[in-house]
Amino acid sequence: MSQETPATHRGVHDRLAALGAGRPPTFEPGRTLPLRVEFERQLKRRRTQLAALVLMVLPIIIALAFKLGGTAGNDAPSLVHLATVGGANFALFSEYVSVGFLLVVVVALFCGDTVASEASWSSLRYLLAQPVPRGRLLRQKLIVALALSAGANLLLPLWSLLVGGLFFGWAPARSPVGGSFDTGASLLRLALVVVFVCGQMLVVASLAFLLSVTVDNPLGAVGGAVMLVVVSNILDQISALDPYRHFLPTHWNYSWVDTLSSPIRYDDMLRGTGTALVFASVFLAVAWLRFDRKDVTS
Amino acid sequence: MTPERLADRLRSVPGGRRLLAAVIAVLVVAAAIGLAVIGSSDSSVKVSSQFIKATPEGTKRVELDTTLYLPAHTPAPAVLLAHGFGGSKDSVAGEAKSLASHGYVVLAYTARGFGRSGGLIHFDSPKYEVNDASLLVTYLAHLPQVAASGGHRQIAVAGGSYGGALSLLLAEQDKRVRAVAADITWNNLTAALYPNAAGTQAGVFKKLWAGDLFSAGLPPGNTTSCGRYAPDVCAAYQASLRLGVPTPGLLAIMKAASPATAISKITAPTLLTQGEQDSLFPLSEADANARGIAANGTPVKVVWRSGGHDTGSGTATATNAARDWFRAAFARKVGGRQSFELAEQGSVVSASTGRVTAETLRAAGYPGLRGRAPAPIVTQVVGRPQSINAPAGGIPAAVSSIPGLGALGTFASSVAVPPSPLQTASFVSPVFDRGALIAGAPSVAITVSSPTAGNATLFASLRDLSPDGTESLPAQLVAPFVVPGLKANKPKTVTVALPSIVHTVPSGHRVVLTISTTDFAYQLPTVARQYTVAVANPAPLKLPTISGTVLRAGHPMAWLFAGIAAVVLAFLAVGFVLRRLRRVLRFDPALAEIPVHIDNLVKEYAGGYRAVDGVSLTVERGQVLGLLGPNGAGKTTTLRVLVGLILPTSGTVHVFGEPIVPGAAVLSRLGAFIEGPGFLPHLSGRENLRLFWAATARPQDEAYFDTALDIAGLGSSVDRRVRTYSHGMKQRLGIAQAMLGLPELLVLDEPTNGLDPPQIAEMREVLQRYAATGRTVVVSSHLLAEVEQTCTHVAVMHKGQLVAAGSVAEIAGAGGMQLAVGDPERAAAILAEAGITAELVPARRALEDVFLDLIGEDA
């Protein structure tokens, strides 16, 4: 240490000199990383805004395509034929085309990006050193990611309902099996569809979250979760696997069409929810166990 | 190379463990898929073909081409499989293999007059085809592989269409048949080919189907008009077509081929499956068969399935139903009451294809039997009497269905041509306020009159009218009927049985009773006529219905419970494992005042590499400790363990007496800057610090934001997004973040990396002031000069071990003494006089001081 301190450049040194000794702080590890804070950290990201933009532009493009293009061919699924009947049918059709891939990608994006992007920005170690206990960090991040995914799942049908109503009118929803529902019944069925699809997306969300914890690259986490969905869809097409197909994570993705028959048939939706819960709990349990023991080198 | 050695080799390769795990995973998945595919295919079914002697044709010897399918385990019950008209034993090969793989001996044969079998087609004549089948039953009875029970050989017969009628005729004639499964077949061939919905005499000729059937019996490359038909059958058919009415010869042949004549003689339990989309042998044929068989008290089960002659699909349902039936029949578990299954078309949207498909309903019993039909849906149709004309030559004609187009499936309804309004009388019902399932044949009374005398040929149907005006014809079925002996201008009322359909009328729709004069598939009179058609005003219409429950396979709630159980289990398992794995470490009161106490810390990575090898270190309050060492010495690993980011292999770290584990509360008394800054690039510097502090959930006034921001010294840049900062700005902001809250212990790893000399000097000053308040600082660096100027104590690490620790004075001060003189030149002169060589060397100023002087105060 030098004999005399060099000339100070700023008055901060004096402020430091006037400090007393440090005191132990008021701190509760169980209250760190409040949800509000995590939401603020995630909402301002460009990817959140881009995803919302895509989800809002897509129904408008579809509506324009129907307006300009005309009706579907003969062997198209029946939901396509009814898409231009009114707002509720248009919302069902948008849901039908988005469940397979678009919503999967959006959910994988929100859930696969949380921990992995903190690792890639090097801010994860600072959060953990605050300290935010590992389990609490995962819990808060998962809650925010699932909330954003649920928001996306809700945004698409509601916005499609609005767009469909503006483009095609507000006629009561017509079911492909021939009946039609009044407004209350169609909103109830749409709500059931949204709840069920959220449940199905839990599989993708939990796998993306697990990959997010395991790899330090956000794109790897998102891509890995999407790959699982693609592989599962491919295996689902092979009818030789028949009794075992029921256990694939994406097999029940479209079972929400059962809400369109009257009375509503709950069988396949119950099976799908059960499957999704099993996969989600396995993936999340592994994520928790891995993160607790992990050496954070990012 | 053995698998163990291969595994060892793989494990030793870098990343080899992962590669091994990946290879094993792929192999397991491939094996599982392979087993699933192989297990589902039929194996171990022995197939052998032979010709069996049948009824001779006059004096000519006739042999039938047969194939015997033997299952894996014999003896087993046997099934005689008959094919449909125009087919051969190969048409039923799929069903035969399926039955054989489920443990039945199957004998599939080609009927006489087809394929490679000899003989002529006598059209299910009892003396020929039925006798052939009886001879085949004899053959089966002598096979050692056929099981016996209670003194009888277990032999059943199954077949579709032509083969179905054969099965029923055989069961009437040969009591050795113990069970029957007849699919899409007829009861009364006259009523099927000359249907009359208003009476029992022969009605309108189903000419398209009949011609289709007849030509199915002509072999390819045929040169005669009779092909392989027996001469009497061929002559009768051609004569009837020429005359336009069935000849007595044809009537006799059709009667002999119809189960209706002796159906009450059947004692074997019978399964009747009938197609809902079948205009050749509609559901009413199965109804007649069922009543006839049940009249004798024989157990009979009826299944109405999707498909039929019009679409050619749905045979899998029939095969599965037959299999289940035979299993129950041979186990003697067939009771008196049989459930009734029907397919409700267009009732559910398929999740896998998005198209509308059928669903199976099960009702307690067949409504046609025991008089226990559920109450019908009562509605009515209204309309004024309407005048319709039958055109000359029957052209133009409405098209309801065309045989042979059935293979195209749904396209059949798109080529349908509804009858023209001039030919149609319509009577409409009121709107249905609830959905209604029609299952069966409604009947209605119709009054017909005509200005000219003669028989009237008309077609009745029930159509579905949707609110937007589209009419659809359920299953494309119409009911032709003849009003005989109509006198000029004298109305005659007949009760017409409409087609037997299974159709759900959605709420908001209506039904329309349509009477028309033409249909393309039938033989129409050539004379132009005019009719006036009326119904009672209003005419009651009783729609037969069924109340059934959807056939649900499996227990869906079990799946949901499994899911919930998985969630609960995962929760408990994670909690349990985490608690078990956490090392039990306790607060050490002796160390409560010591900021850092590291005791024999070891961190070993996979492969035996020790990054930290037995480091023991204590830092007292108020010290500025410099952790020195070359790259790879283990300094950063030690600091990461200190902050709880890395778990040590062994050894402990105590901060203020509390053991360090990830998430330990004592870490809040510590501020860290490890291996570079970490900020959210989309937020500003101020936002980053604010949210960082907010994440700790500590009160705002403990943050000392102003001090921290002053230390960062970014000025107005603090409000710009972090992604626009230079490395040095981020570095200073990171150190400021570490100082938020002015923690009692500050841990900095390479803090001066990327800072310019004025900033380095600044940082030195800050750290010294910081330590002067009684706080502790740990700085890691490999810049020796920096550490020498900043720190009070030093610890030197090399290859994971601590090689020296102590105050700077102790470590660096070893060495000799220095002499300071006031006047260097005079001292040099004195030494020279004393004989000691002395040389004046100009003093060097520290480069840093020169630099700082040069760039001035406001750097």
Side-chain angles (χ1 to χ4, degrees):
Chain A
M1 188 160 76
S2 52
Q3 295 294 358
E4 49 179 24
T5 53
T8 59
H9 295 280
R10 271 169 224 97
V12 65
H13 305 297
D14 302 327
R15 217 177 301 161
L16 279 176
L19 268 183
R23 308 183 309 277
T26 50
F27 179 75
E28 287 167 62
R31 297 188 52 186
T32 47
L33 199 57
L35 286 178
R36 165 184 60 82
V37 173
E38 180 62 22
F39 262 115
E40 267 197 73
R41 289 163 117 244
Q42 299 295 341
L43 276 176
K44 291 196 188 151
R45 296 183 62 183
R46 195 161 287 171
R47 59 106 209 242
T48 312
Q49 293 154 358
L50 270 180
L53 190 70
V54 166
L55 286 178
M56 291 181 73
V57 163
L58 183 74
I60 297 180
I61 295 180
I62 298 178
L64 282 175
F66 273 119
K67 270 277 193 205
L68 302 173
T71 52
N74 251 342
D75 57 345
S78 40
L79 280 171
V80 179
H81 293 282
L82 294 175
T84 52
V85 163
N89 276 100
F90 186 73
L92 284 170
F93 174 71
S94 305
E95 194 72 11
Y96 180 69
V97 293
S98 311
V99 155
F101 201 67
L102 175 65
L103 283 177
V104 165
V105 169
V106 169
V107 168
L109 185 65
F110 285 140
C111 296
D113 204 46
T114 48
V115 176
S117 54
E118 299 272 356
S120 68
W121 296 327
S122 308
S123 58
L124 181 66
R125 56 180 179 246
Y126 292 111
L127 272 184
L128 289 176
Q130 276 184 344
V132 178
R134 298 216 180 173
R136 179 146 175 108
L137 181 93
L138 282 190
R139 191 190 101 160
Q140 302 297 85
K141 284 200 168 280
L142 182 67
I143 291 176
V144 169
L146 288 180
L148 287 176
S149 311
N153 272 320
L154 201 63
L155 175 69
L156 182 69
L158 284 183
W159 179 247
S160 305
L161 183 65
L162 196 65
V163 167
L166 289 174
F167 271 78
F168 304 114
W170 300 98
R174 269 213 295 184
S175 164
V177 297
S180 71
F181 314 118
D182 61 11
T183 319
S186 44
L187 282 179
L188 171 71
R189 279 153 211 259
L190 208 54
L192 257 179
V193 169
V194 169
V195 167
F196 179 72
V197 169
C198 282
Q200 292 301 102
M201 292 295 132
L202 261 182
V203 177
V204 180
S206 53
L207 179 68
F209 196 72
L210 168 62
L211 290 176
S212 181
V213 160
T214 322
V215 306
D216 290 338
N217 182 1
L219 227 54
V222 175
V226 174
M227 270 298 285
L228 168 88
V229 171
V230 168
V231 169
S232 177
N233 280 334
I234 292 175
L235 287 178
D236 204 21
Q237 304 287 332
I238 303 176
S239 48
L241 291 174
D242 226 328
Y244 308 109
R245 277 200 295 172
H246 298 314
F247 301 111
L248 285 171
T250 58
H251 180 76
W252 310 98
N253 266 5
Y254 288 94
S255 300
W256 53 265
V257 296
D258 284 348
T259 54
L260 297 175
S261 29
S262 49
I264 301 177
R265 314 216 194 258
Y266 291 99
D267 289 13
D268 280 350
M269 291 202 280
L270 288 173
R271 291 193 178 97
T273 309
T275 313
L277 285 176
V278 169
F279 275 101
S281 30
V282 168
F283 289 143
L284 288 179
V286 173
W288 245 256
L289 288 175
R290 291 207 64 152
F291 197 61
D292 193 74
R293 303 268 91 205
K294 191 178 166 181
D295 288 341
V296 177
T297 52
S298 61
Chain B
M1 191 179 280
T2 62
E4 292 84 34
R5 290 210 48 199
L6 182 61
D8 281 340
R9 274 289 291 277
L10 272 175
R11 237 180 259 130
S12 62
V13 166
R17 199 169 257 152
R18 271 196 217 143
L19 183 62
L20 181 65
V23 167
I24 291 176
V26 168
L27 283 176
V28 165
V29 171
I33 295 181
L35 275 176
V37 173
I38 291 173
S40 68
S41 68
D42 46 345
S43 54
S44 72
V45 169
K46 287 187 280 293
V47 180
S48 62
S49 304
Q50 57 269 329
F51 281 86
I52 299 180
K53 198 158 90 80
T55 320
E57 198 81 49
T59 51
K60 215 163 134 213
R61 199 178 135 86
V62 169
E63 282 185 337
L64 295 177
D65 184 18
T66 70
T67 305
L68 184 68
Y69 297 80
L70 290 172
H73 300 288
T74 52
V79 176
L80 179 67
L81 212 51
H83 63 83
F85 203 75
S88 65
K89 65 179 187 179
D90 299 320
S91 352
V92 293
E95 286 98 325
K97 284 204 193 91
S98 163
L99 282 170
S101 65
H102 280 93
Y104 290 95
V105 174
V106 182
L107 183 66
Y109 74 102
T110 308
R112 67 191 300 128
F114 292 103
R116 293 187 306 176
S117 293
L120 301 171
I121 304 173
H122 291 264
F123 213 90
D124 275 351
S125 160
K127 291 208 276 285
Y128 290 95
E129 275 88 359
V130 183
N131 203 30
D132 291 341
S134 215
L135 291 171
L136 291 173
V137 171
T138 308
Y139 170 79
L140 277 174
H142 285 116
L143 274 183
Q145 292 96 341
V146 175
S149 140
H152 304 283
R153 292 285 189 169
Q154 291 184 317
I155 297 175
V157 62
S161 189
Y162 186 63
L166 177 85
S167 316
L168 291 171
L169 293 167
L170 180 65
E172 286 171 21
Q173 208 176 303
D174 190 336
K175 294 303 170 210
R176 293 176 296 174
V177 171
R178 311 299 298 170
V180 181
D183 186 36
I184 52 170
T185 190
W186 65 83
N187 168 266
N188 182 343
L189 196 55
T190 315
L193 290 180
Y194 288 86
N196 184 3
T200 48
Q201 69 270 57
V204 190
F205 183 44
K206 214 175 258 184
K207 70 171 187 210
L208 282 189
W209 262 121
D212 214 42
L213 276 183
F214 190 78
S215 52
L218 300 174
N222 181 47
T223 49
T224 62
S225 58
C226 275
R228 292 178 69 182
Y229 282 98
D232 55 337
V233 173
C234 186
Y237 176 76
Q238 287 173 340
S240 304
L241 251 61
R242 206 167 45 241
L243 290 172
V245 287
T247 59
L250 187 64
L251 284 173
I253 292 170
M254 292 198 289
K255 186 162 173 208
S258 301
T261 41
I263 200 155
S264 53
K265 289 214 203 104
I266 296 182
T267 54
T270 306
L271 170 72
L272 296 166
T273 47
Q274 201 76 0
E276 288 175 15
Q277 285 118 19
D278 197 327
S279 54
L280 176 56
F281 304 127
L283 297 171
S284 47
E285 297 295 315
D287 185 68
N289 275 332
R291 286 172 206 260
I293 296 172
N296 195 24
T298 308
V300 62
K301 178 170 171 148
V302 181
V303 172
W304 288 354
R305 63 167 178 89
S306 301
H309 285 91
D310 283 356
T311 66
S313 68
T315 49
T317 318
T319 315
N320 291 341
R323 206 177 58 230
D324 292 338
W325 184 252
F326 290 151
R327 186 176 48 233
F330 287 129
R332 298 178 182 273
K333 287 215 191 84
V334 175
R337 288 287 307 274
Q338 294 297 324
S339 62
F340 166 51
E341 279 147 36
L342 69 158
E344 189 185 345
Q345 301 297 326
S347 61
V348 72
V349 184
S350 152
S352 44
T353 58
R355 291 200 186 78
V356 174
T357 57
E359 202 172 35
T360 311
L361 293 179
R362 174 179 281 168
Y366 183 61
L369 302 177
R370 297 171 173 269
R372 291 209 23 200
I377 300 168
V378 178
T379 181
Q380 62 204 31
V381 288
V382 295
R384 288 186 329 218
Q386 293 157 55
S387 197
I388 56 178
N389 53 339
I395 309 165
V399 178
S400 61
S401 71
I402 298 183
L405 266 190
L408 297 174
T410 50
F411 284 132
S413 57
S414 64
V415 293
V417 175
S420 98
L422 295 174
Q423 301 173 0
T424 320
S426 304
F427 303 93
V428 190
S429 78
V431 172
F432 279 57
D433 55 358
R434 274 181 318 195
L437 172 64
I438 308 176
S443 64
V444 68
I446 301 174
T447 309
V448 180
S449 75
S450 172
T452 50
N455 293 351
T457 300
L458 293 167
F459 300 86
S461 59
L462 198 66
R463 289 171 199 248
D464 183 316
L465 180 64
S466 73
D468 64 359
T470 22
E471 263 186 16
S472 68
L473 181 58
Q476 303 297 116
L477 293 175
V478 298
F481 65 100
V482 171
V483 184
L486 201 60
K487 298 201 175 56
N489 290 319
K490 276 187 105 164
K492 196 163 176 191
T493 306
V494 287
T495 306
V496 176
L498 296 171
S500 197
I501 51 174
V502 177
H503 179 75
T504 310
V505 181
S507 77
H509 286 221
R510 299 194 230 207
V511 293
V512 182
L513 171 67
T514 315
I515 321 278
S516 74
T517 54
T518 60
D519 193 282
F520 187 66
Y522 294 84
Q523 175 115 326
L524 300 166
T526 48
V527 178
R529 300 276 304 269
Q530 205 203 21
Y531 303 105
T532 307
V533 177
V535 296
N537 198 11
L541 186 65
K542 289 210 181 78
L543 302 171
T545 187
I546 196 88
S547 64
T549 52
V550 177
L551 212 54
R552 279 157 215 250
H555 312 279
M557 286 305 283
W559 290 63
L560 186 65
F561 287 143
I564 296 177
V567 171
V568 171
L569 253 177
F571 210 69
L572 294 175
V574 168
F576 178 69
V577 170
L578 291 187
R579 222 147 301 186
R580 280 285 302 271
L581 285 182
R582 199 141 289 179
R583 297 157 69 200
V584 180
L585 298 164
R586 270 192 289 265
F587 170 65
D588 189 347
L591 301 170
E593 291 302 312
I594 298 186
V596 179
H597 179 78
I598 301 176
D599 186 21
N600 206 18
L601 184 67
V602 174
K603 178 64 188 174
E604 182 172 332
Y605 287 108
Y609 169 63
R610 288 192 166 206
V612 181
D613 193 1
V615 168
S616 297
L617 185 61
T618 304
V619 184
E620 307 278 350
R621 270 192 194 272
Q623 289 183 357
V624 180
L625 176 79
L627 198 55
L628 279 178
N631 289 335
K635 312 188 297 291
T636 306
T637 311
T638 307
L639 291 181
R640 277 188 180 251
V641 174
L642 177 62
V643 180
L645 293 175
I646 290 183
L647 290 160
T649 313
S650 69
T652 60
V653 177
H654 290 267
V655 170
F656 294 111
E658 299 274 4
I660 289 291
V661 289
V666 72
L667 286 171
S668 59
R669 297 167 79 172
L670 175 159
F673 177 82
I674 310 251
E675 264 188 312
F679 294 109
L680 277 60
H682 55 283
L683 297 174
S684 71
R686 194 192 297 275
E687 282 287 308
N688 263 290
L689 288 189
R690 182 179 68 81
L691 283 174
F692 182 82
W693 189 253
T696 64
R698 284 166 63 178
Q700 284 278 18
D701 48 3
E702 283 186 23
Y704 299 99
F705 270 121
D706 302 328
T707 312
L709 286 175
D710 275 344
I711 290 172
L714 294 173
S716 61
S717 305
V718 77
D719 288 313
R720 289 206 328 253
R721 300 229 178 117
V722 166
R723 66 163 70 95
T724 60
Y725 286 5
S726 68
H727 177 75
M729 292 162 78
K730 283 194 239 190
Q731 188 89 357
R732 277 149 51 204
L733 191 63
I735 295 172
Q737 187 185 62
M739 287 186 179
L740 271 180
L742 297 181
E744 298 168 69
L745 172 63
L746 195 60
V747 177
L748 304 174
D749 186 16
E750 314 267 0
T752 55
N753 183 8
L755 298 185
D756 57 13
Q759 292 163 349
I760 295 176
E762 173 75 23
M763 197 55 57
R764 196 188 314 143
E765 168 86 19
V766 165
L767 294 181
Q768 284 165 354
R769 295 275 177 174
Y770 204 80
T773 64
R775 293 171 166 78
T776 316
V777 181
V778 175
V779 179
S780 146
S781 180
H782 53 252
L783 298 178
L784 307 168
E786 215 21 67
V787 169
E788 186 163 19
Q789 292 190 353
T790 315
C791 302
T792 61
H793 290 70
V794 159
V796 183
M797 286 183 68
H798 181 50
K799 291 198 182 157
Q801 289 176 329
L802 198 63
V803 294
S807 69
V808 175
E810 282 170 21
I811 303 286
M817 304 286 287
Q818 277 182 321
L819 180 67
V821 295
D823 187 352
E825 281 165 26
R826 250 196 86 209
I830 295 171
L831 284 171
E833 281 170 21
I836 300 174
T837 330
E839 196 184 324
L840 277 178
V841 175
R844 292 185 65 170
R845 281 196 297 165
L847 184 57
E848 180 187 311
D849 296 330
V850 173
F851 183 80
L852 289 176
D853 282 342
L854 283 176
I855 57 171
E857 288 258 329
D858 46 22

